[in-house]
Amino acid sequence: MNRKSEDNIAKLAFGELSDAEASDVLRNVGGNDEASSALIAFKEMRADLQLLRDVPPDQLSKQRLQDAILGQGLKPERNAGSWNWIWAPVATAVFAFVLTSVLRQAPSQDPIVAVNETTPADQFAMFSERFDLNDRDIDFSPRPEIVSGDAVVRVANKNRRGGSRAGLAPTSSSVSLEGPVILIEPERDAGTGAQRAVEVDSYEDVLVSS
Amino acid sequence: MASYAIQSPIIARMELDTDAALVMRARDGDYGAFETLFERHKTMAYRFAYQMTSRRDDAEDIVQEAFVRAYQNLHRYRDEAKFTTWLLRIVTNLCTDQARMTHRRTNLEQQQAADSLDWMTIGTTEDPNENLEQDRRREALRKALSALPEHHRKMIVLRDIEEREYSEIGAIVGCSVGGAKLRVLRARRALRDRIAPLIGKDQE
C-alpha cells in the first residue's frame, strides 16, 4: 500500500472526505487486507483519541496568576497604536505658534530721525539754563536735534564728564521716544554727498529737550 | 474591530465582553478584563498543555507562563486574529521549549508519568472485558502519543483531540492550511506506527 493510499484511508477514517471521495476509497479498500487493516486501525485510533480528551482538573487560579504577573514586575503595556506619542510634536507646534504670535504683536516703531542742527554753544546754553549746569559738567560733543513729526526736539547725550547723571532730568516734551533713534550728522559723506546717519541702540542714551 | 451599534442593552453587553473587547480593556489597564480572559480560556489552554506533557504540574506551569507572556505582550496582539489562536500559539511554543529541555528524560520517568493516570482505569461500558480492552488500547495510545516527536504530537492534539479547524491549526503552528493537513497526515501515520507494536505486545 503506497503512502497516498494510506493517507486517503486515514482521511476516510477521520471523516475528512466527501461522499464521492469516500466511495472511491472504500472501493479500493474492498478486497485489500492491508488496506482494510489500516482502515480499522485508523478508526480505532480516532475513537481512542476522543477518549483522551478527558484530563484531570487543573489547579490554576486568578490569585496564582496575579502573583506571577506581579512577581515579574509587569505593568500593563500601552497599546503601540495609541495616540499618546502625538502630544510632544503638537505641544511643540503650539508653542512655536504662540511664540511667533507674541513676536508679531511686538510694536514695531518707526525709527525717529534726529537731525543735528545745533551748535555746541547753543546746546550748552539750552541745557545749562534748564539744568543749572556749567561747562565743566557737559560734554561739548555735537548734540543732535530730533525731528519728530511737526515737533522739533533737541537731543543731548546723557553721558557727562564725572559720570553722575544727577541734575539731568528728562524733558517734559510730549514727544514719545520708544523706538530706535536715527541721528543725522551735519557733515556730508565725501564720496556720495549724502549726510551720515547713526542709529542709536537705545533712546535711553539720548536726552530730549524741546 | 467590532462595531458597537447598540440595539439593546443585552447585545451591547455581549459585544463588550468579546475577547477582542476584553483585550482592548486589558491594554488600557483594566486588569479585571484580563482576568476574565484567563477564566474563559485557561481550561482550553490547560487541556492542550496536558495532552502535550502528560503531567499536570508541567501543564499548569506552562499555562500560567503563557498567560503571563500574553499579559506582557498585549500590545503585540493583532485584533484580526482570534485570541484563542494567539494564546494557543504561545502555549505551543512553551510546550516545544519544554520538550527540548526534557527530551533527555529517562524512559523510566516517562513511564512513571504515564502510569500516574489512575483515573484512566475507569471503564466506559458494563462489560469488564471490553473495559479492559479499551483501557489497554487507551493506555497504549497514551504511551505512543507521549513518545511521538513534539512536532507530530501537537498536530494530533490540535486536530484529533481538540478538534481545531485546519485554518486555526495553520495559524497556531505557522503554516498554510494545506501544510497543516499534510502535517496532520504525517502525524497520524507516525502514531499508528507506534501504536501497533504496543497493542500487539499487550495482546500477547
Side-chain angles (χ1 to χ4, degrees):
Chain A
M1 182 172 60
N2 58 33
R3 184 156 292 177
K4 186 176 178 182
S5 299
E6 189 180 4
D7 288 344
N8 286 333
I9 290 171
K11 288 180 187 177
L12 174 65
F14 282 87
E16 293 175 351
L17 292 179
S18 64
D19 291 341
E21 291 170 335
S23 299
D24 284 341
V25 174
L26 279 172
R27 201 165 33 249
N28 294 328
V29 168
N32 186 324
D33 291 341
E34 186 183 7
S36 297
S37 298
L39 181 61
I40 291 171
F42 277 122
K43 282 186 174 179
E44 287 179 346
M45 191 168 82
R46 182 188 182 189
D48 292 339
L49 284 171
Q50 290 297 309
L51 295 176
L52 293 184
R53 295 197 68 187
D54 294 329
V55 298
D58 65 84
Q59 294 183 343
L60 294 163
S61 70
K62 290 188 292 186
Q63 186 60 49
R64 190 175 156 187
L65 174 66
Q66 186 175 0
D67 292 343
I69 288 174
L70 292 174
Q72 295 199 19
L74 292 175
K75 291 186 294 184
E77 291 285 346
R78 289 292 173 185
N79 185 359
S82 71
W83 289 93
N84 289 336
W85 60 271
I86 204 172
W87 292 116
V90 166
T92 303
V94 168
F95 176 75
F97 176 76
V98 169
L99 188 64
T100 305
S101 300
V102 168
L103 290 176
R104 282 180 185 169
Q105 288 173 4
S108 59
Q109 300 289 330
D110 293 330
I112 296 173
V113 180
V115 179
N116 186 1
E117 295 182 348
T118 60
T119 64
D122 291 339
Q123 289 172 346
F124 171 71
M126 176 181 68
F127 284 101
S128 64
E129 179 184 341
R130 189 178 184 89
F131 300 112
D132 191 23
L133 300 174
N134 56 45
D135 56 356
R136 291 176 299 179
D137 299 324
I138 294 293
D139 179 7
F140 279 96
S141 59
R143 291 168 178 79
E145 180 182 73
I146 289 184
V147 176
S148 175
D150 294 331
V152 176
V153 297
R154 293 190 176 91
V155 179
N157 287 327
K158 287 184 182 177
N159 295 324
R160 296 184 307 131
R161 294 188 187 127
S164 172
R165 292 187 181 182
L168 283 181
T171 180
S172 60
S173 166
S174 62
V175 173
S176 169
L177 289 180
E178 292 181 352
V181 177
I182 305 295
L183 302 179
I184 306 295
E185 297 296 329
E187 296 85 11
R188 291 185 180 273
D189 182 72
T192 61
Q195 284 180 297
R196 280 197 290 264
V198 177
E199 182 176 354
V200 179
D201 291 337
S202 169
Y203 79 95
E204 292 178 350
D205 293 331
V206 179
L207 183 64
V208 179
S209 68
S210 61
Chain B
M1 181 79 69
S3 64
Y4 293 96
I6 298 176
Q7 297 175 355
S8 75
I10 295 175
I11 293 175
R13 206 159 31 247
M14 287 170 59
E15 288 178 334
L16 287 173
D17 282 343
T18 60
D19 285 351
L22 289 171
V23 169
M24 279 184 63
R25 285 162 51 191
R27 273 187 198 146
D28 291 337
D30 183 357
Y31 183 74
F34 187 76
E35 280 189 333
T36 302
L37 286 168
F38 172 74
E39 288 290 331
R40 188 179 288 181
H41 299 299
K42 68 181 176 72
T43 302
M44 177 272 301
Y46 167 77
R47 197 165 57 233
F48 175 80
Y50 184 86
Q51 302 292 359
M52 291 296 293
T53 61
S54 299
R55 297 168 70 103
R56 188 175 71 182
D57 291 347
D58 288 348
E60 288 175 353
D61 290 344
I62 285 173
V63 171
Q64 181 174 286
E65 179 62 22
F67 275 96
V68 170
R69 292 194 183 187
Y71 185 74
Q72 191 174 14
N73 294 286
L74 281 175
H75 60 285
R76 292 183 184 170
Y77 169 67
R78 294 174 301 152
D79 293 339
E80 61 268 21
K82 284 171 58 178
F83 178 77
T84 51
T85 302
W86 185 59
L87 180 65
L88 279 177
R89 186 159 197 176
I90 298 173
V91 176
T92 302
N93 290 337
L94 286 169
C95 290
T96 301
D97 294 342
Q98 201 234 19
R100 284 201 197 109
M101 285 191 295
T102 59
H103 76 281
R104 290 201 179 100
R105 186 182 293 178
T106 62
N107 291 336
L108 179 60
E109 287 178 337
Q110 287 173 334
Q111 183 67 36
Q112 287 174 347
D115 290 344
S116 67
L117 306 173
D118 295 334
W119 54 274
M120 284 185 65
T121 60
I122 298 173
T124 56
T125 68
E126 296 297 327
D127 188 344
N129 290 330
E130 193 170 342
N131 284 339
L132 197 61
E133 181 62 25
Q134 258 187 5
D135 291 344
R136 188 182 294 121
R137 282 211 318 269
R138 192 161 52 188
E139 190 61 25
L141 182 61
R142 173 76 64 184
K143 290 179 183 177
L145 188 61
S146 297
L148 269 184
E150 184 267 340
H151 63 279
H152 282 323
R153 188 162 65 249
K154 68 184 173 186
M155 302 311 292
I156 294 290
V157 172
L158 284 170
R159 178 61 186 174
D160 297 330
I161 297 179
E162 296 300 316
E163 296 182 330
R164 297 277 160 181
E165 294 297 326
Y166 279 113
S167 56
E168 189 176 5
I169 293 173
I172 291 170
V173 303
C175 68
S176 64
V177 171
K181 289 181 179 178
L182 191 59
R183 292 186 191 192
V184 168
L185 283 174
R186 287 177 184 160
R188 286 169 180 166
R189 260 190 269 120
L191 183 60
R192 176 174 167 259
D193 291 343
R194 285 184 181 270
I195 288 177
L198 293 175
I199 292 177
K201 195 180 295 183
D202 289 342
Q203 288 176 342
E204 285 174 0

